[in-house]
Amino acid sequence: MRMAFDSRPRSPSCCGRAGRPRRRATQPERFEFTLEALSGYSAVILENVPAEKIGTRGMETLASWVRASGSGLMVTGGKQSYGPGGYYKSPLEPVLPVSMELRQEHRKLALAIVVALDRSGSMAVPVGGGKVKMDLANLGAAQVLDLLGPMDEFGCLAVDTVAHTIAELGPVADKGPVRDRILRIQSMGGGIYVYEALAASAQMIQKANAGTKHIILFADAADAEEPGRYAALLEQTRKAGITVSVIGLGTPADKDAELLADVARRGGGR
């Protein structure tokens, strides 16, 4: 995973070494995605770089730079690129000549996903635009459902001190009613018990027939409680071929952000 830059002159140089291109390679997190920084280059290559390493603002800047300057952008494929890398519906997708959608006709393996959503009292905190954290989590879960096809399996839990089943794990058939139930989840008070969310999700996804099994936990980074023996549980899920990713609602500075990051690391997800 890396980025490469080319500062080849836009017009032919008259002579000598001055006309030779200057290239550099770096890790995406080491580069500041500003128009000023990009102005020194004529092309950028993203080699198997996930969208999260660039960030929303970085992708917006990169897309504006390509459109305004006519500079080059090359994005290679890989496990951390394109749709799987988080570029679907991203600011960078419109400037790329390929679709980031995980098209069903191109897929070979079925996928099972269980989404666990924090519905604790802290999820009622406003986030702007007339929405609260719970609304963002609900929309995220609904978009996961939207990406899946008939060959996949989906289940959904809402969690406070216990897990409440929103959708039993099953084939993705009629999305409408499930999507509606997800979008109507409300913050109900109390706290989220992280261990309970992970344990209930693991128990549900074990029944899946799909070869690829993944859990996504949406949790408040400022109020994630009762992690219990989560490390031991995640070791068991890894051995069972189940991966876990986390969407932390808040900021990296929130008191439970590191816990949620550790859940994702130990879960083999993102």
Side-chain angles (χ1 to χ4, degrees):
M1 178 184 68
R2 64 172 185 165
M3 294 172 50
F5 302 86
D6 190 339
S7 61
R8 186 183 303 275
R10 300 185 189 282
S11 57
S13 175
C14 62
C15 58
R17 298 177 61 89
R20 294 184 179 181
R22 178 171 59 89
R23 299 184 178 94
R24 65 172 286 213
T26 187
Q27 298 300 312
E29 54 268 32
R30 296 178 181 174
F31 185 78
E32 184 178 2
F33 286 92
T34 65
L35 290 175
E36 182 180 3
L38 289 166
S39 66
Y41 301 95
S42 57
V44 172
I45 300 173
L46 302 179
E47 184 178 349
N48 196 25
V49 175
E52 64 181 28
K53 295 293 184 181
I54 302 174
T56 300
R57 185 168 298 178
M59 287 188 285
E60 290 173 346
T61 302
L62 196 52
S64 297
W65 174 71
V66 170
R67 291 192 186 99
S69 67
S71 299
L73 174 63
M74 177 180 175
V75 180
T76 70
K79 292 184 178 180
Q80 301 184 87
S81 187
Y82 297 146
Y87 289 96
Y88 180 58
K89 292 187 177 180
S90 73
L92 210 54
E93 183 179 16
V95 301
L96 298 175
V98 293
S99 171
M100 301 298 159
E101 186 177 359
L102 300 174
R103 296 185 182 277
Q104 305 307 318
E105 62 269 24
H106 295 163
R107 292 174 54 197
K108 301 295 190 295
L109 299 175
L111 171 66
I113 292 184
V114 169
V115 177
L117 299 108
D118 177 357
R119 74 166 198 181
S120 64
S122 64
M123 292 293 281
V125 172
V127 293
K131 297 185 183 301
V132 298
K133 288 184 176 182
M134 191 78 253
D135 296 323
L136 299 186
N138 292 349
L139 288 169
Q143 288 184 343
V144 171
L145 175 62
D146 291 343
L147 282 171
L148 301 179
M151 66 189 296
D152 302 314
E153 297 168 87
F154 178 82
C156 184
L157 301 166
V159 187
D160 38 49
T161 56
V162 296
H164 308 269
T165 301
I166 303 300
E168 292 284 359
L169 181 73
V172 178
D174 188 1
K175 296 182 181 181
V178 177
R179 198 176 198 278
D180 183 60
R181 291 199 297 274
I182 292 171
L183 294 176
R184 287 191 287 110
I185 297 173
Q186 296 181 346
S187 170
M188 302 297 286
I192 179 177
Y193 284 14
V194 172
Y195 183 89
E196 179 66 26
L198 295 173
S201 299
Q203 183 177 14
M204 176 179 279
I205 207 166
Q206 282 179 344
K207 307 169 187 174
N209 296 315
T212 301
K213 301 178 178 69
H214 193 60
I215 294 169
I216 301 176
L217 171 65
F218 286 83
D220 187 357
D223 190 24
E225 303 176 15
E226 300 293 336
R229 299 183 66 242
Y230 75 96
L233 175 61
L234 292 172
E235 184 177 354
Q236 294 176 9
T237 59
R238 289 289 295 272
K239 290 179 180 178
I242 301 168
T243 52
V244 181
S245 290
V246 179
I247 308 293
L249 291 109
T251 74
D254 288 340
K255 67 181 182 69
D256 295 317
E258 182 51 38
L259 165 64
L260 298 180
D262 192 51
V263 168
R265 281 193 296 267
R266 292 176 183 270
R270 295 166 61 187

